[in-house]
mmCIF file of all heavy atoms in Angstrom:
data_model
loop_
_atom_site.group_PDB
_atom_site.id
_atom_site.type_symbol
_atom_site.label_atom_id
_atom_site.label_comp_id
_atom_site.label_asym_id
_atom_site.label_seq_id
_atom_site.Cartn_x
_atom_site.Cartn_y
_atom_site.Cartn_z
ATOM 1 N N GLU A 259 -6.338 -4.689 -8.760
ATOM 2 C CA GLU A 259 -6.079 -4.921 -7.333
ATOM 3 C C GLU A 259 -6.184 -6.416 -7.100
ATOM 4 O O GLU A 259 -7.253 -7.020 -7.284
ATOM 5 C CB GLU A 259 -7.159 -4.190 -6.530
ATOM 6 C CG GLU A 259 -7.151 -4.433 -5.035
ATOM 7 C CD GLU A 259 -8.465 -3.994 -4.414
ATOM 8 O OE1 GLU A 259 -9.533 -4.620 -4.705
ATOM 9 O OE2 GLU A 259 -8.463 -3.012 -3.672
ATOM 10 N N ALA A 260 -5.048 -7.036 -6.730
ATOM 11 C CA ALA A 260 -5.080 -8.452 -6.414
ATOM 12 C C ALA A 260 -5.564 -8.623 -4.988
ATOM 13 O O ALA A 260 -4.990 -8.044 -4.050
ATOM 14 C CB ALA A 260 -3.682 -9.040 -6.537
ATOM 15 N N CYS A 261 -6.667 -9.364 -4.797
ATOM 16 C CA CYS A 261 -7.074 -9.654 -3.426
ATOM 17 C C CYS A 261 -6.523 -11.021 -3.047
ATOM 18 O O CYS A 261 -6.631 -11.985 -3.803
ATOM 19 C CB CYS A 261 -8.584 -9.544 -3.254
ATOM 20 S SG CYS A 261 -9.583 -10.468 -4.418
ATOM 21 N N VAL A 262 -5.859 -11.030 -1.896
ATOM 22 C CA VAL A 262 -5.089 -12.196 -1.498
ATOM 23 C C VAL A 262 -5.305 -12.451 -0.006
ATOM 24 O O VAL A 262 -5.335 -11.509 0.775
ATOM 25 C CB VAL A 262 -3.587 -11.928 -1.786
ATOM 26 C CG1 VAL A 262 -2.698 -13.006 -1.214
ATOM 27 C CG2 VAL A 262 -3.331 -11.751 -3.279
ATOM 28 N N THR A 263 -5.441 -13.717 0.357
ATOM 29 C CA THR A 263 -5.586 -14.071 1.768
ATOM 30 C C THR A 263 -4.231 -14.220 2.426
ATOM 31 O O THR A 263 -3.248 -14.543 1.750
ATOM 32 C CB THR A 263 -6.353 -15.397 1.897
ATOM 33 O OG1 THR A 263 -5.726 -16.369 1.075
ATOM 34 C CG2 THR A 263 -7.814 -15.240 1.494
ATOM 35 N N MET A 264 -4.192 -14.047 3.742
ATOM 36 C CA MET A 264 -2.919 -14.283 4.485
ATOM 37 C C MET A 264 -2.687 -15.751 4.693
ATOM 38 O O MET A 264 -1.596 -16.253 4.570
ATOM 39 C CB MET A 264 -2.986 -13.602 5.827
ATOM 40 C CG MET A 264 -2.561 -12.171 5.807
ATOM 41 S SD MET A 264 -2.212 -11.640 7.486
ATOM 42 C CE MET A 264 -2.257 -9.888 7.245
ATOM 43 N N ASN A 265 -3.785 -16.462 5.074
ATOM 44 C CA ASN A 265 -3.686 -17.932 5.133
ATOM 45 C C ASN A 265 -4.426 -18.459 3.893
ATOM 46 O O ASN A 265 -4.186 -17.917 2.816
ATOM 47 C CB ASN A 265 -4.222 -18.495 6.448
ATOM 48 C CG ASN A 265 -5.604 -17.961 6.831
ATOM 49 O OD1 ASN A 265 -6.157 -17.116 6.130
ATOM 50 N ND2 ASN A 265 -6.171 -18.423 7.909
ATOM 51 N N ASN A 266 -5.326 -19.402 4.008
ATOM 52 C CA ASN A 266 -5.994 -19.852 2.790
ATOM 53 C C ASN A 266 -7.480 -19.519 2.767
ATOM 54 O O ASN A 266 -8.175 -19.947 1.862
ATOM 55 C CB ASN A 266 -5.767 -21.352 2.579
ATOM 56 C CG ASN A 266 -4.319 -21.617 2.194
ATOM 57 O OD1 ASN A 266 -3.852 -21.131 1.178
ATOM 58 N ND2 ASN A 266 -3.606 -22.332 3.021
ATOM 59 N N GLY A 267 -7.940 -18.777 3.751
ATOM 60 C CA GLY A 267 -9.369 -18.468 3.780
ATOM 61 C C GLY A 267 -9.614 -16.983 3.971
ATOM 62 O O GLY A 267 -8.765 -16.272 4.510
ATOM 63 N N TRP A 268 -10.777 -16.545 3.531
ATOM 64 C CA TRP A 268 -11.155 -15.116 3.704
ATOM 65 C C TRP A 268 -11.741 -14.917 5.097
ATOM 66 O O TRP A 268 -11.198 -14.172 5.925
ATOM 67 C CB TRP A 268 -12.178 -14.724 2.629
ATOM 68 C CG TRP A 268 -11.657 -14.842 1.230
ATOM 69 C CD1 TRP A 268 -11.916 -15.859 0.362
ATOM 70 C CD2 TRP A 268 -10.779 -13.955 0.550
ATOM 71 N NE1 TRP A 268 -11.233 -15.646 -0.821
ATOM 72 C CE2 TRP A 268 -10.538 -14.486 -0.727
ATOM 73 C CE3 TRP A 268 -10.161 -12.744 0.899
ATOM 74 C CZ2 TRP A 268 -9.721 -13.864 -1.671
ATOM 75 C CZ3 TRP A 268 -9.335 -12.115 -0.052
ATOM 76 C CH2 TRP A 268 -9.128 -12.675 -1.299
ATOM 77 N N GLY A 269 -12.850 -15.606 5.362
ATOM 78 C CA GLY A 269 -13.436 -15.523 6.709
ATOM 79 C C GLY A 269 -12.616 -16.387 7.659
ATOM 80 O O GLY A 269 -11.932 -17.330 7.235
ATOM 81 N N TYR A 270 -12.706 -16.071 8.957
ATOM 82 C CA TYR A 270 -11.907 -16.772 9.972
ATOM 83 C C TYR A 270 -12.033 -18.286 9.816
ATOM 84 O O TYR A 270 -13.132 -18.847 9.756
ATOM 85 C CB TYR A 270 -12.395 -16.345 11.361
ATOM 86 C CG TYR A 270 -11.644 -17.026 12.469
ATOM 87 C CD1 TYR A 270 -10.298 -16.759 12.682
ATOM 88 C CD2 TYR A 270 -12.282 -17.914 13.331
ATOM 89 C CE1 TYR A 270 -9.597 -17.383 13.718
ATOM 90 C CE2 TYR A 270 -11.582 -18.536 14.351
ATOM 91 C CZ TYR A 270 -10.239 -18.260 14.538
ATOM 92 O OH TYR A 270 -9.565 -18.879 15.551
#
Side-chain angles (χ1 to χ4, degrees):
E259 173 197 66
C261 51
V262 172
T263 51
M264 274 197 197
N265 50 357
N266 290 299
W268 299 100
Y270 180 66

